[in-house]
Amino acid sequence: MGDQTKKQFMIPDGSVWANAWKMTAMLGGVGILVALYGAFQQPERFAYSYLYGFITVLTLWLGSVFFVLIQHLTGAGWSVSVRRAAEFFVSAAWILPVLFAPVALNTSTLYHTWWNHPATEQGVAHAQEHEAAAEAGGDRAGAEAAAPEGHHGYEGGSGPSEAHELLEDANIAGKSAYLNHGFFYLRMLLYFAVWFWLGSRLFGYSAAQDATGDKSYTVKLQSMAPVATFAFALSLTFAGFDWVMSLQPGWYSTMFGVRIFAASAVTSFAVIILVTLGWKRAGLIGNEINTEHYHDLGKLMFGFLIFWAYISFSEFFLIWYAAIPEETVYYHLRWDHDSWKMISCSLVALKFIVPFYLVMSRNAKRNNGLIGLGAGWILAMHLVEMYYWVMPYYRPHEAVQWSGVWMEVGCVMATLGVFLTVVFRRMLKHPLIAVGDPRLSRALNFQNM
Amino acid sequence: MTDDNKQKRPVVLLAEFDSPDSIIHAAEKVRDAGFEKWDVHTPYPVHGMDAAMGLTDSRLGWIVLLCGLTGVTAAVTMMQWMNGYDYPLVIAGKPPDAIPSMVPIMFELTVLLASFGAVFGMFGLNELPKHHHPVFGSDRFEAFSHDKFFVSIEVEDKKYDAEKTRALLTDAHATYVELVEEEVA
């Protein structure tokens, strides 16, 4: 590819996309002000609101990494022209630790169940004693957990509820080898190191190839892909355990890591579709990304949407059937009050059923307007799902605190605004498609059969 | 069992082409001439053939959707009637007609009937199984699975005209045109 072609895919000065970062920066700026105000007004709520914003950005980033990795892993030719869209997001890895800082400063609020009460051996013995006493009294901790819990403190009267709380304490004590301050920070450093490596290599090699068209970069990317996939999968899963699942350290689920992955993957397909449609609308990309690519991106988004629904349901299903208190508590937090029940149901209806029918048809996937609508819809519901993941822990066993939702809006504006600003500024410096990739012509001539 | 005394009648006009480009071009011409009962035979899927042949959307998707919806409706009705009404059993302390316990059946019947719809619907739309077709009467036709490309136009087609149709295919750079005949039973 000559300089002429390369220039063709650069964002020109007058384009909407040349100024997109200013809009997101403004969004982020307003968000930061709102978040700061919130942090002083209600510091506790701020901690959760901010974590909500951070996880939203993180899942978006992780999904983009997954997309790029899977293309190199399979040596895909069809996706070369859309891969750069995901690579721009991947390249923003360095901002993640910066965005994480407020979370790191609020660990004692967010993870108070284990952060401030390092469980001791005495605690375990104490809990077991209480449990035995409760069972002797004819009550079972399980019966208590099945009903909405009236209070959530250690000061409550004696009885099954207290025993249950203490049992949870015992659970946490058993996890102290993993859930402790030092190891938490060590793992955090490890995740960011892995992600920085992924971000700099996956984007860096591809960007370096733009100028030279050197095939060796493709080879390098393909040979790092298998190891990178393992590193990605492990860091995603354990970061999910550390930052989301440990909000409720007594809760058991074997599906949570997969759920984070599924939600991230769906989101990234939606984002790639929306970003490339935006480029096309601004006239930056012509036929290089065409109906055939949207058809395939749509198929992947549709497939992963079903995957997300499948694993989310199977997680719920097994927990519902077994009805073990330390598992069901997760869904009690999201069901016992009508407002949370409504959010839970909206995920089933609006994140699965509606987009399922919306993007099911081949014609919908081959229609830029419809696939864009489907992607936008899924992205909007992703924001709701992240809320459902994080916010029940702000006031557990209580209704949604609607009056303070502005803080979550502010936080998600702040994190998303900053993240997108970094991504959009990166877009100004590189061609919008991987012009140096030797397989580009395969992507340009690609057709679905 | 070829016997010159037996009566034969023309069934298919078969035209052979050398390249994917020429077959696409030929398909466009046949499409534009308004033929309905015709087909293209190629050794591999040729890009752009759907448009060149003027094929509209397959009805298969609607068949699959209908079968899938039938599956999910059947599952809900069946489970609600059996577990909720006809023979309610309390399992694991759950209400007998609890919806979550029915989801796996809903999923499975949806997938099962949708797959049946896809496979058998495809058979139906393609008029399969078809044990014989007159085009196999041509000795040259075997090359369709090797390196040649064919257009076949059925004589039954309303637009068919022995002279004009042959001319159309020859004009489209057919390397060989043959009127395939079939014995009259």
Side-chain angles (χ1 to χ4, degrees):
Chain A
M1 290 278 165
D3 279 352
Q4 202 70 40
T5 331
K6 210 179 135 185
K7 240 180 211 142
Q8 204 182 322
F9 300 111
M10 297 293 286
I11 295 175
D13 283 343
S15 168
V16 186
W17 282 91
N19 297 312
W21 70 271
K22 290 175 191 160
M23 282 179 264
T24 53
M26 211 144 74
L27 187 85
V30 173
I32 288 170
L33 288 179
V34 173
L36 274 176
Y37 176 71
F40 287 109
Q41 287 292 305
Q42 290 168 276
E44 198 196 338
R45 181 165 191 146
F46 166 77
Y48 291 94
S49 300
Y50 188 84
L51 182 67
Y52 160 65
F54 175 75
I55 294 297
T56 305
V57 165
L58 182 66
T59 45
L60 209 159
W61 184 83
L62 288 168
S64 308
V65 174
F66 165 69
F67 181 81
V68 177
L69 269 181
I70 209 78
Q71 307 314 323
H72 293 309
L73 201 59
T74 55
W78 72 271
S79 60
V80 171
S81 58
V82 291
R83 203 185 64 220
R84 179 57 54 86
E87 284 171 353
F88 281 127
F89 284 86
V90 172
S91 75
W94 64 270
I95 195 75
L96 292 175
V98 180
L99 289 174
F100 187 76
V103 178
L105 291 173
N106 280 298
T107 43
S108 63
T109 310
L110 290 167
Y111 310 114
H112 64 91
T113 29
W114 58 274
W115 194 272
N116 305 330
H117 307 279
T120 59
E121 289 304 309
Q122 281 169 333
V124 180
H126 189 51
Q128 281 165 349
E129 225 168 75
H130 268 262
E131 185 195 8
E135 290 205 357
D139 277 319
R140 298 197 54 189
E144 168 63 25
E149 291 179 62
H151 59 90
H152 196 261
Y154 293 92
E155 293 81 27
S158 66
S161 177
E162 192 194 355
H164 176 57
E165 297 293 353
L166 289 166
L167 184 69
E168 202 164 271
D169 240 16
N171 256 333
I172 296 161
K175 295 173 180 178
S176 61
Y178 185 86
L179 290 180
N180 59 65
H181 299 189
F183 197 22
F184 179 88
Y185 286 125
L186 183 71
R187 287 193 306 270
M188 179 196 82
L189 289 176
L190 208 64
Y191 305 145
F192 286 127
V194 168
W195 294 344
F196 187 79
W197 173 68
L198 286 172
S200 58
R201 290 294 154 91
L202 292 178
F203 180 78
Y205 282 160
S206 179
Q209 198 177 36
D210 287 346
T212 58
D214 187 354
K215 265 192 292 189
S216 69
Y217 286 114
T218 302
V219 176
K220 274 185 204 163
L221 283 163
Q222 288 187 351
S223 32
M224 76 174 264
V227 177
T229 304
F230 274 103
F232 164 75
L234 289 173
S235 58
L236 171 145
T237 307
F238 282 96
F241 290 169
D242 284 7
W243 302 339
V244 185
M245 209 173 163
S246 85
L247 288 164
Q248 192 173 13
W251 179 54
Y252 284 88
S253 171
T254 49
M255 289 300 270
F256 195 72
V258 190
R259 179 142 59 95
I260 293 185
F261 162 69
S264 306
V266 177
T267 316
S268 76
F269 292 120
V271 168
I272 294 166
I273 289 172
L274 287 176
V275 167
T276 52
L277 280 176
W279 290 348
K280 277 179 90 75
R281 177 165 280 207
L284 300 172
I285 296 283
N287 211 36
E288 292 78 17
I289 301 178
N290 55 46
T291 307
E292 304 299 332
H293 299 106
Y294 287 115
H295 189 183
D296 263 16
L297 287 169
K299 282 186 244 177
L300 283 165
M301 185 171 75
F302 181 67
F304 274 93
L305 181 70
I306 296 172
F307 176 67
W308 168 83
Y310 179 82
I311 59 102
S312 299
F313 176 75
S314 63
E315 182 178 27
F316 165 77
F317 188 49
L318 297 188
I319 289 175
W320 175 80
Y321 243 137
I324 297 168
E326 63 242 35
E327 292 178 355
T328 52
V329 60
Y330 183 86
Y331 292 103
H332 277 296
L333 291 183
R334 291 159 178 81
W335 193 262
D336 292 341
H337 285 274
D338 284 346
S339 49
W340 280 115
K341 190 188 276 187
M342 192 187 78
I343 290 179
S344 297
C345 291
S346 80
L347 286 178
V348 179
L350 303 179
K351 198 181 175 186
F352 178 60
I353 296 174
V354 170
F356 175 81
Y357 285 104
L358 193 61
V359 299
M360 177 160 59
S361 159
R362 180 177 192 268
N363 293 333
K365 295 187 199 88
R366 296 178 75 88
N367 177 315
N368 288 0
L370 279 176
I371 196 68
L373 177 67
W377 186 288
I378 287 173
L379 205 58
M381 286 312 295
H382 182 68
L383 292 177
V384 178
E385 194 194 357
M386 294 302 106
Y387 199 86
Y388 163 96
W389 281 15
V390 174
M391 290 312 289
Y393 300 109
Y394 166 55
R395 287 274 185 267
H397 304 289
E398 284 181 32
V400 179
Q401 314 283 313
W402 294 116
S403 62
V405 170
W406 56 267
M407 207 185 314
E408 282 91 76
V409 174
C411 285
V412 90
M413 274 165 66
T415 51
L416 214 54
V418 170
F419 181 70
L420 289 179
T421 304
V422 171
V423 173
F424 289 169
R425 279 191 63 82
R426 178 77 75 172
M427 283 179 191
L428 300 175
K429 299 188 188 100
H430 300 270
L432 299 180
I433 64 176
V435 289
D437 195 302
R439 294 161 303 176
L440 183 60
S441 73
R442 243 198 277 173
L444 301 186
N445 295 312
F446 157 70
Q447 282 198 5
N448 279 286
M449 293 315 297
Chain B
M1 292 271 282
T2 44
D3 188 343
D4 290 344
N5 295 330
K6 285 207 170 171
Q7 268 203 316
K8 287 187 177 179
R9 64 181 173 96
V11 204
V12 171
L13 188 67
L14 193 65
E16 186 184 292
F17 295 85
D18 273 341
S19 69
D21 287 342
S22 59
I23 192 83
I24 287 266
H25 178 64
E28 283 165 352
K29 282 196 123 179
V30 176
R31 172 197 69 192
D32 293 342
F35 285 95
E36 281 170 6
K37 293 181 176 178
W38 65 289
D39 207 351
V40 170
H41 316 269
T42 58
Y44 54 84
V46 175
H47 282 180
M49 187 53 86
D50 283 15
M53 286 182 73
L55 295 181
T56 48
D57 282 354
S58 165
R59 280 169 296 161
L60 191 59
W62 291 104
I63 296 175
V64 174
L65 178 66
L66 214 64
C67 289
L69 290 174
T70 310
V72 72
T73 315
V76 175
T77 319
M78 178 179 80
M79 297 293 288
Q80 285 289 337
W81 186 75
M82 291 195 311
N83 286 2
Y85 175 76
D86 188 43
Y87 205 95
L89 277 180
V90 175
I91 297 164
K94 305 286 186 277
D97 57 351
I99 291 285
S101 65
M102 297 171 190
V103 169
I105 312 292
M106 287 156 64
F107 172 75
E108 279 157 19
L109 271 191
T110 308
V111 173
L112 182 73
L113 292 204
S115 319
F116 280 166
V119 174
F120 295 113
M122 182 273 289
F123 279 6
L125 293 177
N126 285 325
E127 296 168 30
L128 294 175
K130 186 179 276 184
H131 298 296
H132 183 69
H133 191 277
V135 287
F136 291 111
S138 161
D139 291 334
R140 297 180 71 110
F141 186 67
E142 273 182 14
F144 91 91
S145 69
H146 188 233
D147 61 350
K148 298 291 183 201
F149 304 81
F150 290 89
V151 168
S152 66
I153 300 176
E154 293 187 22
V155 172
E156 272 179 32
D157 195 292
K158 280 178 206 142
K159 292 270 179 179
Y160 180 80
D161 178 283
E163 299 287 306
K164 284 182 192 166
T165 311
R166 182 178 282 265
L168 174 85
L169 292 169
T170 317
D171 286 350
H173 309 295
T175 50
Y176 178 81
V177 181
E178 177 186 356
L179 187 62
V180 185
E181 296 185 317
E182 188 183 54
E183 285 174 12
V184 177

